[in-house]
Amino acid sequence: MIRISTIFIAICMVLVAASLGLVLYSVAGISGTESAIVALTALTFLILYNAVSMRLRDRSDVGGQIADLSRGTADLARQVAEFGRRLAAVEGRIASSNSTNSDRIQSVVGEINELGGLVRQLATTVSAHEDLLAAAPVSAASPVERQDPVAPLDLIATIDERPAAPSPLPVAPPPPAAQPRPAQAVPTQVANGRNQTQLLATLRNAIDENRIDIFLQPMVTLPQRKVRFYEAVTRLRDERDQLIAAEEFISIAEASGLIGRIDNMVMLRCVQVLRRLMVRNKDVGVFCNVAASTLGNSTTFAQCLDFLEANRALAPSLVLEFKQSTFRNLGPAETENLAALAQRGYRFSIDHVTDLRIEPRELADRGVRFIKVPATLLLDPKQASASDIHPSDLSDLLGRFGIDLIAERIEGERAVVDLLDYDVRFGQGFLFAPPRPLRPEGASATGGASPTQAQDIQGSNGSGTPSSGATSSAPPPQRITGNAALARRI
């Protein structure tokens, strides 16, 4: 839009030029044509002068604006430089902080490594002491033989006297600790006095009269030795309440088709025990053995699957255990049944491992999360050449596929020291605790050993650990005080 001043100047220039033409026409006597030419010439000069003056004025204005813009750009550059300096200072502080944190982490890692070395030294010292105690002559009444064979590090049991509320897990006293394998001594003597026909009749009667018991053996973490899982070991009681180990009757039960009923009974007991243990510790788990014939029998497996479906909430804590030979000889029916269990959230374990030719990817795809290998097999130097991987690298290889390695049948401290170098996380064996007898709640008075006084035994991790109870003739145990109580609080 044209400014008013410009319009006013244009009108004035026209008036001045017209006035000049009129003056020349009237006063000087110049003709009208000449007067008009002079007036137009004057108007042209005025227009040119005004245009040049306006151009000069605009140039000065633009120069001022350019100067202001230059000053603003300079200020912006100074501000950017200041921000850059501050950012460099912040980056320097962050780098210094990261360096300090890295130094702290390195110091913590060094302390952890030092603690690991101290633990190994402690285990070596305990092993040397155990050898000295084994070599020294000890009398039958020695207090060492009366101790429960539990590992001497972190697995410190504390016995609480609770006469008012009986324990939901009554236990029977274990054999003396001086025997190397107390849980198998009595069954061997019983089985030697029977032939297969008598043992089959005893097995049928025990199933009909509900005389199938389970023993619990803990699995501990290494090197802390805190109880993390329990394995349910099956035992059979005959008419005289004498125990028969599973190794003595399993083959006969599979040949006669009774193994399915036994697995159903054991599975029921495992679920009952697991529910009681989870009241105290939600992280506890129970391993339940399942026979290959049960997995392949459609009728028996259907019953087991219905029961496990009803207890699907316990799937993360109930681990179904199969032999290595079972996984290597899976047929179409077994594979389908195994997949049905995996779909319901149940995890699997492999035991009775005879060699280390293991395919972890295939086992992980089938739902295997634990592999139990005998400690003697892991520590056998011949396995390094016979298997595809060195035993010391087996734990790391399985861990990449979410499988934990459990060393079983550990009976000496020297084996624990060697297994720590193999990065084995879990251990099981008579060194930590033998299988302990356990009668389920509501069992008949005729079954098992004589009723024992209820006791609650807790390991260092707080989980309920089945332990030996006092017989009916023995006085009630007293609460442990002093160093044991202090160790429990720590």
Side-chain angles (χ1 to χ4, degrees):
M1 184 175 181
I2 302 177
R3 292 180 297 179
I4 298 177
S5 60
T6 304
I7 297 174
F8 178 75
I9 291 174
I11 294 174
C12 290
M13 288 189 296
V14 171
L15 292 178
V16 169
S19 300
L20 179 62
L22 290 175
V23 169
L24 291 176
Y25 178 75
S26 60
V27 175
I30 300 175
S31 62
T33 304
E34 293 177 350
S35 299
I37 293 172
V38 172
L40 291 175
T41 303
L43 179 61
T44 302
F45 279 108
L46 290 175
I47 291 173
L48 290 175
Y49 175 78
N50 182 63
V52 170
S53 63
M54 289 182 64
R55 183 63 178 257
L56 293 176
R57 185 173 61 252
D58 292 339
R59 180 176 295 179
S60 63
D61 293 340
V62 171
Q65 293 176 359
I66 291 174
D68 294 338
L69 183 60
S70 299
R71 286 191 297 270
T73 304
D75 293 338
L76 181 61
R78 284 194 297 271
Q79 293 178 2
V80 171
E82 179 68 17
F83 284 134
R85 185 185 62 80
R86 294 180 181 180
L87 181 60
V90 171
E91 290 178 350
R93 293 177 183 176
I94 293 176
S96 176
S97 177
N98 291 337
S99 177
T100 304
N101 293 336
S102 177
D103 295 339
R104 292 177 180 176
I105 292 174
Q106 291 297 331
S107 63
V108 171
V109 171
E111 293 178 358
I112 292 175
N113 293 333
E114 184 177 357
L115 288 176
L118 294 176
V119 169
R120 291 187 177 89
Q121 294 177 5
L122 179 61
T124 305
T125 305
V126 171
S127 176
H129 290 173
E130 183 187 50
D131 294 341
L132 293 176
L133 291 177
V138 184
S139 61
S142 174
V144 178
E145 292 187 0
R146 298 179 182 272
Q147 293 179 354
D148 187 67
V150 180
L153 284 182
D154 293 340
L155 194 60
I156 303 175
T158 305
I159 304 177
D160 296 334
E161 182 182 2
R162 300 182 182 179
S167 172
L169 299 176
V171 295
Q179 300 180 4
R181 292 184 178 272
Q184 297 180 358
V186 175
T188 302
Q189 298 175 0
V190 174
N192 289 337
R194 293 181 175 87
N195 54 30
Q196 292 188 356
T197 304
Q198 294 174 344
L199 190 57
L200 179 58
T202 302
L203 179 61
R204 293 182 183 275
N205 293 335
I207 294 175
D208 295 336
E209 298 175 8
N210 195 19
R211 282 190 276 108
I212 301 294
D213 296 337
I214 61 172
F215 283 40
L216 295 184
Q217 185 175 21
M219 304 177 195
V220 300
T221 59
L222 296 178
Q224 297 85 2
R225 305 194 183 193
K226 295 182 179 181
V227 177
R228 181 63 180 85
F229 304 100
Y230 293 98
E231 180 179 3
V233 182
T234 308
R235 294 289 185 267
L236 182 147
R237 284 182 290 110
D238 61 4
E239 296 80 1
R240 294 173 295 178
D241 282 341
Q242 292 180 323
L243 296 177
I244 302 177
E247 293 79 5
E248 303 294 336
F249 64 83
I250 286 297
S251 59
I252 299 178
E254 290 180 348
S256 59
L258 299 176
I259 191 64
R261 297 179 59 186
I262 295 177
D263 284 347
N264 279 325
M265 297 174 66
V266 172
M267 204 172 294
L268 173 62
R269 303 283 176 82
C270 289
V271 170
Q272 293 174 348
V273 172
L274 182 59
R275 289 186 182 277
R276 296 174 212 165
L277 293 178
M278 291 184 68
V279 173
R280 300 179 180 178
N281 187 3
K282 296 297 183 181
D283 295 331
V284 72
V286 174
F287 282 57
C288 180
N289 288 273
V290 180
S293 56
T294 302
L295 189 63
N297 190 315
S298 59
T299 303
T300 305
F301 179 78
Q303 298 175 358
C304 295
L305 187 62
D306 292 341
F307 177 74
L308 294 175
E309 177 70 25
N311 295 273
R312 193 170 181 175
L314 300 177
S317 301
L318 182 62
V319 181
L320 305 179
E321 194 166 67
F322 302 91
K323 296 181 179 179
Q324 186 184 36
S325 58
T326 301
F327 264 81
R328 287 183 173 177
N329 300 309
L330 289 176
E334 291 84 353
T335 303
E336 183 179 354
N337 294 337
L338 204 66
L341 293 174
Q343 289 176 357
R344 286 158 177 80
Y346 287 93
R347 303 179 296 172
F348 309 131
S349 171
I350 295 180
D351 66 345
H352 289 78
V353 175
T354 57
D355 57 70
L356 298 183
R357 293 191 296 272
I358 299 172
E359 295 294 337
R361 183 184 300 275
E362 179 183 356
L363 296 179
D365 293 341
R366 292 177 183 239
V368 176
R369 293 298 177 264
F370 301 93
I371 294 181
K372 296 169 61 176
V373 181
T376 55
L377 186 62
L378 284 174
L379 302 177
D380 187 4
K382 299 179 181 179
Q383 292 297 324
S385 58
S387 60
D388 298 334
I389 184 174
H390 194 276
S392 60
D393 300 327
L394 182 60
S395 179
D396 293 336
L397 176 63
L398 296 176
R400 297 172 192 170
F401 298 93
I403 301 176
D404 289 323
L405 178 62
I406 302 175
E408 61 175 350
R409 304 176 190 174
I410 301 176
E411 300 182 1
E413 290 290 346
R414 292 190 181 277
V416 176
V417 175
D418 295 336
L419 290 173
L420 289 178
D421 296 334
Y422 285 16
D423 196 22
V424 178
R425 297 180 54 195
F426 299 98
Q428 178 185 4
F430 282 85
L431 174 65
F432 311 114
R436 303 265 175 81
L438 173 68
R439 290 194 299 111
E441 185 178 10
S444 61
T446 60
S450 59
T452 60
Q453 183 176 358
Q455 294 179 350
D456 291 335
I457 296 182
Q458 295 180 347
S460 61
N461 67 337
S463 62
T465 307
S467 179
S468 58
T471 58
S472 58
S473 60
Q478 300 297 327
R479 182 184 301 275
I480 291 179
T481 58
N483 294 334
L486 180 60
R488 181 191 180 190
R489 294 189 186 97
I490 294 176

